[in-house]
Amino acid sequence: MSQSPAPRRRTGAYVAIAAIVAAAGGAFAWTAGWLTPDRLTAARMTDAIEATSTTPYPGFRRAHAKGICVVGHFDGTPDGAALSRAHVFAATGTPLLGRLSIGGGSPYGLDAQARVRSMALVLRGADGSEWRMAMNSFPFFGAASIETFLEQTRASAPDPATGKPDPARMAAFAAQHPEAQRFAAWAKSAPWSDSFANTQYNGIHAYRFTGERGAQLVRWSMRPQAPFVEMTPAQRDAAEGDYLQNELRARLAAGPLRWDMVATIAGAGDDVSDPSTPWPDEREQVVVGTVVLTEAQDQATGACRDLNFDPTIVPTGVALSDDPILAARAAVYAQSFDRREREVARGADVDGTPPPETAR
């Protein structure tokens, strides 16, 4: 009996497998931008962020490179449980790991000179859920789209001749983008707090909470219970390089620090897909929980060092909005995380100890 059909069937199977592999490879290449060299990708966005630093720092985050790990817990409230069925709102004592940081790509930046401060958290519910958050001290984003953010990032890259951004290039970008002008006005006029502990951190993106009240779009902020104290320009100039970290440790030595998590509910006409658009102050606000920090750790050895604070990882009861910048952040975070983890594996120094010429 002839056996010829079997090889043909096997050949057909091989062709099908090859087609699947080719298609997968093609999709991967498209995602990486190999087939469309002008398309914006996570790698290109990360490259642009890296280019804003005059010196590469292998093993560190590409943005907010200087930070400190924190440990604590989250206490939900009944109002939070009514707004979202996420387990953390119905519980108290949910463990959290986090990181407080300053803006910029240098792990040796001067704490008191950084305009932007950040809080990143991972909440791990008893039901196995995980919620990752990434928040900043600015109340809204400075770009209305990821393409605009790329343009802004490239415009702020240092001029090789001066080592600083070109003011004319920055001004030309701002002239074309009202949201960048709005952000610059905030950066110029908003008072500077004198501590990580009395800084408000804002989520800026909209998320969909689903609970007893149905589905509602919200933005949240972490509002400090510590009273606000303004830090003057003279005080900032006189402060030591690690001022914010040292001041935080001193506060924690005296007791826990707390922030109320406040959800602002979107109203009619609020833009829920553009994080550069502020919402009116009169929107309904609900205290959904409290962040309690009890301990600080060096980022080189602390539990936060190898965490990717991807803001798209959310629990049941919380869902992403249609904000395209939110999705783009996840992709860039992953790209940055992969790069630095490879560098750490190759032995990059991540202790964050400044060389003598930058110490202060």
Side-chain angles (χ1 to χ4, degrees), residues 2-98:
S2 173
Q3 300 296 317
S4 58
R8 283 198 295 271
R9 287 195 297 270
R10 288 197 295 270
T11 300
Y14 297 153
V15 170
I17 292 171
I20 293 171
V21 172
F28 180 83
W30 183 86
T31 301
W34 299 340
L35 305 183
T36 52
D38 295 327
R39 191 172 68 85
L40 175 57
T41 63
R44 289 193 175 89
M45 188 69 245
T46 307
D47 289 343
I49 294 172
E50 289 179 349
T52 61
S53 178
T54 56
T55 303
Y57 297 100
F60 289 92
R61 298 169 196 263
R62 272 35 186 183
H64 302 275
K66 184 180 181 182
I68 185 169
C69 296
V70 290
V71 179
H73 64 268
F74 181 84
D75 295 329
T77 68
D79 287 340
L83 198 58
S84 168
R85 64 175 182 271
H87 186 271
V88 298
F89 294 133
T92 58
T94 297
L96 69 79
L97 293 174

Side-chain angles (χ1 to χ4, degrees), residues 68-72 100 197 245-259 292-297:
I68 185 169
C69 296
V70 290
V71 179
L100 296 173
Q245 293 194 14
N246 294 336
E247 199 272 350
L248 178 76
R249 291 180 187 277
R251 287 193 185 232
L252 286 171
L257 300 172
R258 292 176 170 83
W259 287 257
V292 183
L293 300 186
T294 57
E295 179 187 349
Q297 304 169 344

Side-chain angles (χ1 to χ4, degrees), residues 251-276:
R251 287 193 185 232
L252 286 171
L257 300 172
R258 292 176 170 83
W259 287 257
D260 291 327
M261 182 177 181
V262 181
T264 299
I265 301 174
D270 289 342
D271 194 333
V272 298
S273 61
D274 180 359
S276 73

